[in-house]
Amino acid sequence: MNKKISRVWICIILFLRLTAATAQTPVFTHQDTLRGTITKERIWWDLTYYHLNINVNPGDSTIKGENLIQYRVLETGQLLQVDLQPPMEITKVIQDNSSLTFNRDGNAFFIELTKPQNPNDINEVIVFYQGQPKVSVRPPWQGGLTWEKDANGKDFVVTTCQGDGASLWWPNKDHPYDEPDSMLISVTVPDHLFDVSNGRLRRIDQNSDHTKTFHWFVSNPINNYGVNINIADYVHFTDKYQGENGELDCDYYVLRDNLEKAKKHFKEANRMLEAFEHWFGPYPFYEDGYKLVEVPYPGMEHQSSVTYGNGYKNGYGGRDVSHTGWGFKFDFIIVHESGHEWFANSITNRDAADMWIHESFTAYSENLFLNYFYGQEACNEYVIGTRENIRNDRPIIGIYNVNYPGSGDMYYKGANVLHTLRQIVNDDKKWRDILRGINKTFYHQTVTAIQIEDYLSEHTGINLAAFFDQYLRDNRIPILEYIIRDNKFRYRWNNCVRRFNMKLKVYFDQTDQWLNPTTRWQEIDSPSSFIKFQVDPNFYVASFNLVGEVKE
Ligand SMILES: [Zn+2]
């Protein structure tokens, strides 16, 4: 290879290295920090109530209105951060009838309050805004408005904003740590259309200008990205579910042409409620009811108004995410998105880096649903089948304070981690008590990963620190290395974090045995004659016979 060519090669290799390095280390901006941090302009006030009051005009794809933000002063502060993303504009802010000055820094607005803010005061600011919000190209994976028409040519308008943030279409404190205690959502639309938002429909006003205003009240804390509007020519039917906390109102809103299909298919929601109340405890929003609302995208966990677009079919978009056949036994969207009522809506991450609390438990809920109706074997086969979707590309926990979730492995690796933990606990009654206990202890709260991990360590009676460091903060799969020689079975963990010490069930032929491997070699007498050694496949680990299958 001549010098010129070799230099080119070096450049290419260097380039590849550099691009690989930058792919691993995301670059964060000042805007990411403003969005993802509990800034000093956020920390001094605690949200108590929102009244979002907007006019949605499908004719020119605009939203115009205001959000009343009520808060309790925790400590003195005169600068208040509210988030709203371009191209939306704040036009005016008032407190106690006086107009306030504000400055924009990208997606954040800093409002200068003139009235002294005294601790324990309950104050309000009203933020007026308008604009043509960003249109979503790929809902729900990319946030924005979707302006569509149904088969009869009627407007079909919905919002999705997980990840991108609710500030994409309305002004709010766009950080998950703080939620209002309640919220009123008033939406004005042309009077031949119907708006469905979160909570309960309090009232519909007929206005003189051929519009109607729908007032939806949410009587529980709600996360920002859970707030949604769905506007269409909806028809409505109801059901009641006799659950652990009494009678739960179930309300279903679907496109006119799908009413008969929906009446049959949405019975699935009763099965979902039965299974999840068994495993997790009472549905967390009896006061607000449970709803399914048809949308033109697959679905989203909008609190107490779960959105549905799975075509009234089992599976997920016609597929089974586990490739085992079990995924066709239920409607993935009804089960998964409703599972989020417990994990995401009731128990919410305080920082996007801990989004595994939403997705790992909810992906795990899919196999608990199967467990409840089809038994242990179905549950095991399903969760093991979903391993095909795992990438092990980067850790499940993301980066804190910059609105950066971890790997997509928070879904199916997360589900397998929880399934593995269930094996370690090895006591299904205790495991169910723990899942219900988490829901009771952290009911309607925003939490950190550490709070959930500590709860699990305490209530399993096992120090799980290294277990969670391995599976949430590292992307490697632990390997059980072993050697069988002279009737001795030697084993250790490798490819793992320091002090990784997860116990493990293995089989010598049909005989099961528990091992307590650490990163140091240990040995036991191996059974005198056996043909096959196997790690229990319910554990998400790898195993490796260091000297191959040769026996003396
Ligand atoms: Zn999910």
Side-chain angles (χ1 to χ4, degrees), residues 374-512:
Y374 303 96
Q376 187 72 59
E377 228 17 65
C379 148
N380 295 352
E381 283 178 27
Y382 179 86
V383 71
I384 291 170
T386 62
R387 288 178 189 166
E388 212 175 310
N389 309 315
I390 298 173
R391 293 190 193 146
N392 287 313
D393 52 350
R394 58 191 179 90
I396 284 177
I397 288 184
I399 298 173
Y400 292 94
N401 299 320
V402 282
N403 187 40
Y404 189 76
S407 165
D409 282 347
M410 70 177 83
Y411 289 81
Y412 291 110
K413 185 173 175 181
N416 273 281
V417 170
L418 292 167
H419 185 66
T420 300
L421 186 52
R422 179 182 183 179
Q423 313 307 312
I424 298 168
V425 171
N426 196 27
D427 176 343
D428 282 350
K429 185 186 174 303
K430 186 176 180 182
W431 181 238
R432 180 182 161 215
D433 288 346
I434 289 170
L435 293 172
R436 291 176 68 98
I438 289 178
N439 278 282
K440 211 171 168 179
T441 306
F442 302 111
Y443 180 75
H444 290 183
Q445 290 176 31
T446 64
V447 300
T448 63
I450 296 292
Q451 282 177 281
I452 299 294
E453 291 168 46
D454 286 350
Y455 185 93
L456 286 164
S457 280
E458 191 189 332
H459 290 83
T460 57
I462 305 164
N463 182 345
L464 295 167
F467 174 86
F468 286 121
D469 283 349
Q470 181 68 51
Y471 284 112
L472 301 179
R473 298 181 179 86
D474 195 306
N475 63 336
R476 293 171 297 171
I477 294 304
I479 299 173
L480 182 80
E481 292 183 342
Y482 64 95
I483 295 169
I484 303 161
R485 185 181 285 148
D486 302 331
N487 293 325
K488 296 284 183 200
F489 180 83
R490 305 186 69 217
Y491 59 95
R492 71 167 181 188
W493 285 122
N494 202 350
N495 202 45
C496 57
V497 298
R498 282 179 66 217
R499 290 192 282 276
F500 185 67
N501 60 353
M502 181 176 81
K503 73 174 186 176
L504 183 68
K505 192 179 189 181
V506 298
Y507 290 90
F508 293 95
D509 292 330
Q510 304 302 319
T511 312
D512 63 358

Side-chain angles (χ1 to χ4, degrees), residues 248-314:
L248 172 64
D249 294 320
C250 301
D251 286 86
Y252 302 118
Y253 293 88
V254 299
L255 293 184
R256 192 167 296 279
D257 293 355
N258 294 332
L259 181 61
E260 292 314 312
K261 257 193 284 188
K263 277 184 172 169
K264 249 172 85 183
H265 191 75
F266 284 179
K267 296 212 181 306
E268 182 82 333
N270 291 355
R271 292 210 305 161
M272 173 281 294
L273 288 162
E274 186 181 337
F276 290 167
E277 286 208 328
H278 170 83
W279 285 109
F280 300 145
Y283 173 76
F285 304 105
Y286 270 74
E287 308 77 10
D288 292 328
Y290 170 80
K291 292 196 291 294
L292 284 172
V293 187
E294 183 168 354
V295 289
Y297 63 87
M300 181 52 68
E301 63 254 32
H302 299 119
Q303 184 172 315
S304 72
S305 67
V306 172
T307 46
Y308 178 84
N310 201 29
Y312 303 96
K313 282 200 283 280
N314 280 358

Side-chain angles (χ1 to χ4, degrees), residues 5 9 53 64 72 75 95 155 180 195 276 283 292 313 318 344 347 382 386 416 427 505:
I5 292 173
W9 270 109
N53 181 17
K64 182 176 183 181
R72 179 189 299 278
E75 53 194 78
Q95 181 158 63
D155 287 302
D195 169 70
F276 290 167
Y283 173 76
L292 284 172
K313 282 200 283 280
I347 303 176
Y382 179 86
T386 62
N416 273 281
D427 176 343
K505 192 179 189 181

Side-chain angles (χ1 to χ4, degrees), residues 162 300-301 332 336-337 340 358-359 362-363 366 411:
Q162 188 186 29
M300 181 52 68
E301 63 254 32
F332 178 92
H336 178 98
E337 304 306 342
H340 278 304
H358 300 187
E359 298 301 349
T362 302
E366 296 157 25
Y411 289 81

Side-chain angles (χ1 to χ4, degrees), residues 90-147:
I90 291 181
T91 50
K92 184 170 68 172
V93 182
I94 60 172
Q95 181 158 63
D96 297 348
N97 298 319
S98 3
S99 249
L100 299 173
T101 309
F102 54 87
N103 293 302
R104 182 169 209 162
D105 182 355
N107 300 332
F109 288 77
F110 295 93
I111 300 163
E112 294 173 24
L113 303 169
T114 49
K115 182 173 92 166
Q117 307 286 309
N118 301 314
N120 290 322
D121 283 358
I122 302 275
N123 291 331
E124 291 175 0
V125 286
I126 306 175
V127 179
F128 294 81
Y129 78 110
Q130 63 186 51
Q132 270 186 331
K134 195 175 130 189
V135 170
S136 175
V137 179
R138 197 170 161 257
W141 295 280
Q142 200 201 51
L145 266 283
T146 301
W147 307 91

